[in-house]
Amino acid sequence: QQQVKQSPQSLIVQKGGISIINCAYENTAFDYFPWYQQFPGKGPALLIAIRPDVSEKKEGRFTISFNKSAKQFSLHIMDSQPGDSATYFCAAAQNSGGYQKVTFGIGTKLQVIP
Amino acid sequence: GAVVSQHPSWVICKSGTSVKIECRSLDFQATTMFWYRQFPKQSLMLMATSNEGSKATYEQGVEKDKFLINHASLTLSTLTVTSAHPEDSSFYICSARKVGAAYGYTFGSGTRLTVV
């Protein structure tokens, strides 16, 4: 049972374009939604995160849109660059026994072509 | 700040031997550390959660006798893959939660384990 559904699994975008990755969740106990960027052979790095009481968060070229009623959230990468080529994971976290338990989406391999 | 160092980055071992992977928080104290496993082109799957000074909590389906976790201090957790077999070959990643931090974890750079 996939608690966090992510799509698409792969994405090719032209340089300068907008990359959009979507995620959906079922568990309403999730209260923190981070996005991670992972380059081959490296661990994930936190990119941007949002709490459910906010509908949008922007940091530089990265924007998270959050729709609490639909239980969906998405990552938009504006002016995509070849250096953005990586695998992106959405995640959802809930407090469990005093710490967050993080559930990851399946990942989206983004390729930005010149 | 908030750097997590994982060592080794990659390791090749013979089937039947044991391998120890270290996860260190370099500039903060980590009450809780997490161990993940990632197969090629797949997502991260949580294996276990370790709290300093107590036994690790393993996710369903993870053999606790095979994947020994020790979290002896607030800056170090180790994962030992015992009697490794080729099917244990994977990318193992740790993450750590800073003491007092409500949200957000820092991930290590991962360890590529190949069992031959």
Side-chain angles (χ1 to χ4, degrees):
Chain A
Q1 181 185 353
Q2 200 176 346
Q3 290 199 54
V4 179
K5 296 181 180 180
Q6 182 173 349
S7 64
Q9 289 191 32
S10 64
L11 180 62
I12 299 175
V13 172
Q14 204 103 43
K15 178 183 175 182
I18 303 173
S19 304
I20 302 174
I21 304 170
N22 300 300
C23 285
Y25 64 97
E26 289 296 324
N27 187 351
T28 55
F30 289 138
D31 61 357
Y32 178 71
F33 300 88
W35 284 87
Y36 289 90
Q37 180 188 55
Q38 185 180 31
F39 292 103
K42 300 293 182 185
L46 179 65
L47 193 62
I48 186 172
I50 198 168
R51 296 284 305 279
D53 51 351
V54 176
S55 62
E56 185 175 282
K57 184 174 182 181
K58 184 176 180 179
E59 289 184 3
R61 297 185 293 110
F62 301 93
T63 300
I64 300 178
S65 297
F66 189 86
N67 186 328
K68 187 174 181 179
S69 60
K71 291 186 282 187
Q72 294 175 348
F73 57 111
S74 60
L75 175 70
H76 290 61
I77 305 175
M78 313 299 287
D79 187 25
S80 299
Q81 299 296 312
D84 296 331
S85 298
T87 299
Y88 293 81
F89 293 94
C90 64
Q94 64 180 108
N95 280 315
S96 175
Y99 55 83
Q100 277 187 328
K101 191 167 182 178
V102 182
T103 302
F104 287 86
I106 198 166
T108 297
K109 186 173 183 179
L110 170 66
Q111 185 181 357
V112 181
I113 54 177
Chain B
V3 177
V4 174
S5 172
Q6 195 171 333
H7 179 80
S9 299
W10 57 271
V11 58
I12 301 173
C13 70
K14 289 185 177 180
S15 187
T17 61
S18 296
V19 174
K20 182 185 282 188
I21 302 169
E22 291 187 350
C23 180
R24 292 181 185 273
S25 55
L26 296 185
D27 51 359
F28 66 99
Q29 291 185 323
T31 306
T32 308
M33 289 187 173
F34 304 85
W35 288 94
Y36 293 84
R37 185 173 181 176
Q38 186 179 31
F39 289 107
K41 299 182 182 179
Q42 292 190 26
S43 190
L44 287 80
M45 300 302 295
L46 181 65
M47 298 174 65
T49 302
S50 71
N51 289 295
E52 184 263 339
S54 61
K55 287 185 178 180
T57 302
Y58 290 81
E59 294 300 302
Q60 194 172 8
V62 178
E63 299 176 60
K64 57 183 69 177
D65 293 331
K66 179 162 190 65
F67 299 100
L68 301 179
I69 291 172
N70 183 282
H71 192 161
S73 77
L74 286 172
T75 59
L76 174 65
S77 176
T78 61
L79 167 68
T80 302
V81 183
T82 63
S83 186
H85 290 282
E87 57 265 30
D88 298 325
S89 299
S90 188
F91 194 53
Y92 292 87
I93 309 171
C94 70
S95 72
R97 180 177 78 101
K98 188 175 181 179
V99 172
Y103 295 96
Y105 299 106
T106 303
F107 283 82
S109 55
T111 297
R112 170 71 60 195
L113 170 64
T114 302
V115 184
V116 297

